[in-house]
């Protein structure tokens, strides 16, 4: 079993989980401050249901891929990689948006969560449901991106799920250390480092998603004569070739194979491939320059201290 495939989901879930843990911690701190700790059970219920809902969404997506391949076995080589590529596109958009948007909104997170808790407490009889809904949405929102990432890497089996579980456990530990034991952790620096890893992981997802599209189009060209000319760049005389990705610009299979250490680590974390084609290379660099550049600029714009921001190295009391 290739446990290296667990690393990306571990890092993604760790980052998302810490973000959700901060929301949960702020809610618990607000309830304690308002002497409403009786509502803590609603918070824990929101966390539990949020995790269950995220897992069910993941099972649903995995089932869609399996069922789509079984409906017509003849087209399974087309449908399966095409759906995985589709999930990759959705995951790329969602993760990129979340990364940049949350970096800009992080300075207001504490104030927004506290305001939501205060609104829920004002509702009196519905206070429990208000707190539950707030936590549930926070957990499902963070879990959804991980579920999409796992769905886009369906062929890896249960390994990405193991990474997700480990990420949740570690995030829970970090949240407990911060809010229960008052351990000082530089949250801002943590998110910045995790964000850089996430940019590289999503860039790798761009490369992998394009390869899935290429596999689907190549299979379509072989199974349907109507689409036999879809492979605009024909390298069929070569042992290794692409259908729609253009010429190969990188071949390091003899030097640094991506199925052996350390190439496999570089593959899952940074998008490295032993075989890289022109379209993949252009897309990879374009993603790093665009989304990566936006992320770095958003970090630079948040370096100055801002009121209502969670202290960089202190817990919320």
């Amino acid at each position: 079993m290739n446990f290296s495939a667990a690393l990306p989901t571990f890092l993604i879930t760790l980052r998302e989980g810490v973000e959700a843990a901060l929301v949960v911690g702020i809610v618990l701190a607000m309830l304690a401050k308002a002497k409403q700790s009786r509502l803590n059970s609603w918070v824990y219920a929101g966390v539990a249901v949020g995790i269950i809902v995220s897992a069910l969404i993941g099972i649903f997506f995995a089932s869609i891929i399996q069922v789509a391949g079984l409906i017509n076995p003849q087209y399974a080589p087309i449908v399966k990689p095409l759906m995985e590529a589709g999930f990759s596109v959705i995951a790329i958009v969602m993760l990129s948006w979340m990364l940049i948007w949350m970096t800009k909104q992080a300075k207001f997170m504490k104030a927004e969560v506290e305001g939501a808790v205060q609104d829920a407490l004002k509702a009196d009889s519905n206070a429990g449901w208000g707190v539950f809904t707030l936590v549930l949405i926070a957990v499902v929102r963070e879990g959804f991106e991980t579920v999409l990432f796992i769905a886009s890497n369906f062929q890896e089996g249960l390994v990405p799920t193991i990474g997700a579980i480990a990420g949740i456990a570690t995030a829970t530990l970090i949240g407990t250390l911060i809010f229960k034991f008052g351990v000082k952790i530089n949250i801002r620096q943590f998110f910045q480092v995790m964000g850089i890893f996430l940019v590289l992981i999503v860039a790798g997802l761009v490369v992998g998603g394009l390869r899935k599209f290429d596999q689907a189009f190549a299979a379509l060209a072989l199974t349907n004569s109507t689409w036999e000319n879809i492979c605009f760049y024909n390298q069929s005389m070569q042992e290794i070739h692409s259908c729609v990705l253009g010429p190969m610009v990188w071949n390091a299979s003899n030097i640094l194979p991506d199925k052996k250490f350390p190439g496999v680590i570089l593959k899952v974390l940074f998008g490295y491939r032993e075989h890289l084609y022109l379209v993949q290379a252009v897309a990879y660099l374009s993603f790093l320059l665009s989304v990566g550049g936006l992320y770095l600029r958003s970090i630079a714009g948040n370096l100055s201290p801002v009121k209502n921001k969670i202290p960089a190295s202190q817990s919320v009391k």
Side-chain angles (χ1 to χ4, degrees):
M1 186 177 290
N2 181 17
F3 283 99
S4 61
L7 286 174
T9 48
F10 170 77
L11 292 173
I12 289 174
T13 311
L14 175 61
R15 188 200 181 284
E16 304 300 296
V18 168
E19 195 168 299
L22 289 176
V23 173
V24 172
I26 293 170
V27 172
L28 291 173
M30 280 292 297
L31 292 177
K33 185 177 180 180
K35 297 181 180 180
Q36 295 291 329
S37 295
R38 61 183 177 82
L39 297 176
N40 284 1
S41 59
W42 289 91
V43 176
Y44 301 134
V47 172
V49 174
I51 293 174
I52 292 171
V53 169
S54 297
L56 290 176
I57 293 173
I59 294 172
F60 174 71
F61 283 161
S63 299
I64 289 177
I65 296 175
Q66 285 184 325
V67 171
L70 293 174
I71 291 176
N72 193 332
Q74 179 184 356
Y75 291 100
I78 302 171
V79 175
K80 190 174 179 180
L82 194 59
M83 292 194 70
E84 290 173 353
F87 283 129
S88 294
V89 171
I90 298 173
I92 290 165
V93 173
M94 290 291 294
L95 287 168
S96 300
W97 172 82
M98 176 276 303
L99 181 65
I100 297 172
W101 183 83
M102 280 307 301
T103 301
K104 294 180 178 179
Q105 295 298 317
K107 65 182 74 174
F108 308 114
M109 184 174 71
K110 184 172 182 286
E112 289 177 354
V113 174
E114 288 180 346
V117 174
Q118 289 174 351
D119 290 341
L121 293 177
K122 290 177 183 177
D124 295 329
S125 60
N126 294 322
W129 284 109
V131 170
F132 171 83
T133 303
L134 171 64
V135 175
L136 174 64
I137 292 174
V139 174
V140 172
R141 183 185 63 195
E142 308 306 336
F144 186 64
E145 284 98 359
T146 306
V147 166
L148 285 174
F149 184 86
I150 294 175
S152 64
N153 291 273
F154 179 74
Q155 287 182 329
E156 300 292 345
L158 292 175
V159 177
T161 305
I162 294 174
I165 293 172
I168 292 173
T170 306
T172 302
L173 176 61
I174 292 174
T176 303
L177 290 174
I178 293 174
F179 291 99
K180 187 72 174 178
F181 299 103
V183 176
K184 295 183 178 181
I185 298 176
N186 194 319
I187 294 298
R188 184 174 63 186
Q189 194 173 69
F190 171 84
F191 279 124
Q192 288 175 354
V193 173
M194 287 294 101
I196 291 172
F197 270 114
L198 190 57
V199 168
L200 294 171
I201 289 171
V202 178
L205 197 59
V206 171
V207 174
L210 286 172
R211 188 55 178 166
K212 294 294 183 183
F213 276 120
D214 188 73
Q215 291 171 356
F217 291 147
L220 181 63
L222 291 174
T223 57
N224 193 321
S225 59
T226 306
W227 297 92
E228 60 184 1
N229 294 322
I230 195 173
C231 296
F232 65 84
Y233 189 82
N234 192 355
Q235 294 175 304
S236 57
M237 298 301 293
Q238 299 184 24
E239 183 179 355
I240 303 173
H241 60 87
S242 73
C243 175
V244 295
L245 298 180
M248 185 183 297
V249 296
W250 173 274
N251 186 350
S253 56
N254 295 326
I255 303 172
L256 191 62
D258 58 21
K259 293 181 176 61
K260 296 181 180 179
F261 183 85
V264 67
I265 303 298
L266 297 176
K267 178 181 178 180
V268 298
L269 287 181
F270 308 120
Y272 167 79
R273 295 295 189 277
E274 61 183 30
H275 300 128
L276 190 68
Y277 299 90
L278 180 61
V279 174
Q280 288 176 307
V282 171
Y284 185 85
L285 292 175
S286 298
F287 180 86
L288 289 181
L289 291 174
S290 57
V291 176
L294 283 173
Y295 175 67
L296 291 177
R297 285 195 292 273
S298 67
I299 289 178
N302 285 318
L303 289 179
S304 57
V306 181
K307 189 177 180 180
N308 288 329
K309 186 176 181 179
I310 297 176
S313 60
Q314 297 179 11
S315 61
V316 178
K317 296 297 184 182

